[in-house]
Amino acid sequence: MATMQDVARQAGVSIATVSFVLNGTKAVTEPTRKRVEAAIAELGYRRNPAGSALARGRTDIIALLYPALQRQLHATATRFFTSAAERAKERGFSLVMWPAANEAHEIDELTRSGLIDGVLLMEVQLEDERVEALRKGTTPFALIGRTQDPTGLPYVDIDFEQTVVSGIEELVARGHTNIAFLYDHSGPSTLHGYGAIARATRTFQDAVAQSGLSGVTVDCGENPRAGRKVGETFRESHPHVTAVLIMNELASPGFMTGLRKAGTSVPQDLSVLSLVSSDTVATMCDPELAFMRAPAEELGRLGTDAVIDRITHPDSALPHTLVPCEMMPGSSLE
């Protein structure tokens, strides 16, 4: 296996010059750089990633923290991951998914390991001890989500408030005045105060009260079986409801199956609009769901830019970006 010394000998330069070319730590003349690169190619030299990181003082690796042990992965979350990874690659970084529990000590262990240059945090709670741990440390970070008070934090997030209001307006425009909001009220016990659900629920309740509509919140576990169970009993439990906003991607197909099993016709008997969802889930359902598409690709890119900017330009302005969901047509509305 070729070494840096072999490359230096082949190119007629010092080992330090080879290091400068590999790591970009010092400018070299164009002819010298070309000789070194030619020697590297001819000898098949492969540099040691750990040694390169040590020489440059950083690893160019970002950890995307998702509490996969507490919250099941779903189609929209996957779109966040892939978009973030693609953007990181475009900017010369690698992004790894780190399925850590949402506990402060795991943040401390990760950031002290020297393995990563930055943290991108997902599934943020209103009061989140992980965020407080990151605040106290020195590792650059950004959030996809918001705490109760996000002042001084770099974040990008779905505009849940505007998304819920737009969903209600869509249903009201179709003549619906008795609306249910279906979501996982209890949620994973370790994600208590999950920001997305808290904001969406509060907005639904406020909007219904201010508009003089009739509204009810319906609890449904975040899985297809729970959705099917709620769907089977929905019409009996809520006979006056004519439309449903469902913000529960994993339960949506089961809910639609349960409605059909119980003889509830969509959209003739009940209109259904899915919030913060994806085409993947909408097309699993029969009839195909109308949904408000989560801006996962956009936020994945923006979140990655936010943390990389904290790494490369620590004094740059903190992003505070909210992006609403986009209405997508489907056969579940009438």
Side-chain angles (χ1 to χ4, degrees), residues 38-99:
I40 289 171
E42 184 176 342
L43 296 172
Y45 172 74
R46 296 290 183 270
R47 63 179 176 175
N48 184 301
S52 175
L54 182 63
R56 290 181 293 108
R58 72 186 201 200
T59 64
D60 290 340
I61 296 174
I62 300 166
L64 189 154
L65 269 61
Y66 185 93
L69 300 179
Q70 286 74 36
R71 187 158 196 246
Q72 187 175 343
L73 294 174
H74 48 87
T76 295
T78 302
R79 289 165 55 218
F80 275 105
F81 304 152
T82 54
S83 173
E86 289 171 358
R87 183 57 175 159
K89 183 177 180 180
E90 290 171 2
R91 296 195 59 177
F93 284 73
S94 296
L95 182 139
V96 296
M97 179 182 167
W98 202 281

Side-chain angles (χ1 to χ4, degrees), residues 240-293:
H240 302 298
V241 169
T242 63
V244 175
L245 292 174
I246 178 169
M247 193 168 121
N248 191 329
E249 192 167 52
L250 289 171
S252 297
F255 178 66
M256 297 293 283
T257 299
L259 290 174
R260 185 170 63 251
K261 183 178 180 181
T264 303
S265 179
V266 176
Q268 292 80 8
D269 299 331
L270 187 72
S271 285
V272 180
L273 174 59
S274 180
L275 303 182
V276 197
S277 192
S278 64
D279 181 72
T280 299
V281 173
T283 54
M284 288 180 182
C285 301
D286 184 21
E288 186 171 318
L289 278 174
F291 69 101
M292 299 194 70
R293 184 184 64 84

Side-chain angles (χ1 to χ4, degrees), residues 309-324:
D309 288 346
R310 305 312 304 155
I311 295 169
T312 58
H313 300 92
D315 297 327
S316 59
L318 298 178
H320 297 156
T321 306
L322 297 179
V323 182

